[in-house]
Amino acid sequence: MSGKTIGVIGAGAWGTAMAHALASDDNKVEIWALEDDVVSSVNNEHENKRYFPGYKLSANLTASTDIISVATGKEFIILASPSLYLAKTAAKIANVPNIADGSTCIGVLTKGFVPSAQGPKLVLETLENVLPEECKGNLVYIAGPSHAEEVAMGKLTGLIAASENPKNSIRVRELLRVPGLMVYSSLDVIGVQICAAVKNVVAIVFGCLDAIAETSDLFGDNTESLLLAAGLNEIQTIGFAMGATHAETFTSISGVGDLDVTCRSKYGRNRRFGHDIIKKNILAPFKNLDDLIDRIKEIEYLPEGAVACRYVHEIAENLHLKLPICNGLYRILNREIEPLDFLKEVLR
């Protein structure tokens, strides 16, 4: 399925990698970036030097700082903005004619929860409150074990395309079936979103454990598998509490698959953040979790699990859920407990 016109909104690593994969299949892809230097490097050097350095991008991929232009006239839009900025970014394109009339099929890569006056919201719920009524029930959520680096290298990767609209799920599934990508459809939109958001929280704890295990007589590979399994249970617990519909979501690539690669891969930013908590004392400059989130740009990469952690904690309190691992990370990031003390407490 080639020759499609696609706009990608967000030029971070994952948005860039997806744009490159789609452009490599002879689609015409345009990516929106906020920064002039990103646009210049993509257009002139076929590389995103700021957010995705070292990866040669398809000549079919162009970039622009004009978000309206990138969204206009496209058959498909892929939203790849970080969760912290998603609502404001989506609002900028809500009145583009092909979006306003529902003729453009919209896929979403953003992971995490989005704050609102009514409490944390899922990504698609947030977008449906910002985008035109025609988008309600028609958005497609894209997730799975998919580090940007390996997607850009063409290494075989599996994804889930989840939507309340089966036809749109199939449309995006077929669009994404480019060399290196295997894509499956799902109707469990809530379950897939929960997996994508909460696995980042577990991965930070995993990174802490991995760093401590390097010199520990108490923790090892067995312990890491224990943590991974317990973390998956918590993801499933919050998923069903929020309306997930299919148990197999959590045992599929969107659940255990994405959790495993996020925890274990060398490319994982959330695992790296957990590792840096132990090895670099990266939390030292921050008073608590709110201070960390307010100043998160001071970290040279974005650990979305730190942001998601605050919202998972709020959701767990509102729904009276017992999530010891997620709650433990909240206490760590809020400077209430040391990681080693927590791990000894929760894993013994």
Side-chain angles (χ1 to χ4, degrees):
M1 188 175 183
S2 60
K4 299 297 181 182
T5 55
I6 305 165
V8 177
I9 308 299
W14 186 206
T16 301
M18 180 59 75
H20 166 70
L22 291 168
S24 297
D25 198 42
D26 293 330
N27 294 304
K28 185 179 179 181
V29 184
E30 189 174 16
I31 192 168
W32 171 74
L34 189 63
E35 303 89 353
D36 289 330
D37 64 291
V38 173
V39 170
S40 177
S41 65
V42 171
N43 289 337
N44 299 321
E45 302 173 66
H46 303 298
E47 182 181 356
N48 184 340
K49 289 188 172 182
R50 179 189 285 253
Y51 295 117
F52 203 46
Y55 294 88
K56 197 69 173 177
L57 303 176
S58 169
N60 289 335
L61 173 60
T62 59
S64 172
T65 57
D66 185 343
I67 193 171
I68 302 300
S69 174
V70 171
T72 298
K74 301 298 193 296
E75 296 166 86
F76 293 87
I77 293 290
I78 305 295
L79 292 171
S81 173
S83 59
L84 285 172
Y85 318 113
L86 179 64
K88 288 183 178 179
T89 301
K92 293 177 181 178
I93 62 172
N95 294 322
V96 171
N98 47 288
I99 293 175
D101 66 14
S103 61
T104 292
C105 185
I106 300 176
V108 185
L109 299 176
T110 304
K111 298 177 175 67
F113 299 95
V114 182
S116 78
Q118 296 76 39
K121 301 292 186 182
L122 292 172
V123 166
L124 294 196
E125 182 181 8
T126 298
L127 289 171
E128 287 180 346
N129 288 332
V130 172
L131 294 172
E133 183 68 24
E134 284 76 8
C135 295
K136 190 173 180 62
N138 292 316
L139 302 175
V140 183
Y141 193 76
I142 303 162
S146 49
H147 284 299
E149 294 82 358
E150 293 197 350
V151 169
M153 289 186 281
K155 294 191 176 183
L156 187 60
T157 298
L159 295 171
I160 296 286
S163 180
E164 294 177 26
N165 182 330
K167 290 183 179 179
N168 278 1
S169 173
I170 292 170
R171 288 180 69 191
V172 170
R173 183 189 73 191
E174 296 305 310
L175 177 76
L176 297 180
R177 280 187 172 170
V178 300
L181 295 182
M182 299 173 62
V183 189
Y184 305 89
S185 292
S186 173
L187 298 174
D188 189 3
V189 178
I190 291 177
V192 173
Q193 289 180 88
I194 293 294
C195 288
V198 185
K199 52 96 177 181
N200 287 330
V201 178
V202 178
I204 295 176
V205 182
F206 191 97
C208 291
L209 175 61
D210 187 60
I212 292 171
E214 292 177 5
T215 57
S216 173
D217 294 329
L218 182 61
F219 303 134
D221 292 348
N222 295 345
T223 325
E224 291 185 348
S225 290
L226 171 64
L227 174 62
L228 192 147
L232 183 62
N233 284 339
E234 293 193 13
I235 293 171
Q236 183 168 271
T237 295
I238 192 172
F240 282 132
M242 293 188 70
T245 56
H246 293 66
E248 57 266 29
T249 296
F250 303 96
T251 56
S252 75
I253 58 173
S254 63
V256 66
D258 204 359
L259 176 64
D260 178 72
V261 79
T262 305
C263 287
R264 298 188 187 279
S265 174
K266 64 183 179 181
Y267 299 116
R269 293 188 302 273
N270 293 285
R271 171 196 169 133
R272 175 185 173 185
F273 184 64
H275 207 270
D276 287 347
I277 289 173
I278 304 303
K279 295 294 187 179
K280 297 183 178 180
N281 197 22
I282 202 170
L283 295 180
F286 306 105
K287 295 181 294 184
N288 52 37
L289 179 54
D290 287 342
D291 187 35
L292 169 63
I293 292 173
D294 289 343
R295 299 163 54 199
I296 203 160
K297 289 186 177 180
E298 294 179 22
I299 299 172
E300 62 185 36
Y301 53 93
L302 177 60
E304 287 208 324
V307 181
C309 180
R310 180 166 70 180
Y311 302 132
V312 169
H313 180 74
E314 185 176 343
I315 291 166
E317 287 197 328
N318 291 340
L319 298 178
H320 307 292
L321 304 177
K322 292 184 178 180
L323 305 173
I325 293 169
C326 294
N327 185 59
L329 180 63
Y330 177 86
R331 292 164 62 201
I332 291 169
L333 300 183
N334 213 36
R335 310 303 302 276
E336 298 173 17
I337 191 172
E338 291 300 316
L340 179 58
D341 294 335
F342 162 67
L343 289 168
K344 287 180 178 178
E345 172 187 301
V346 76
L347 293 175
R348 296 191 72 182

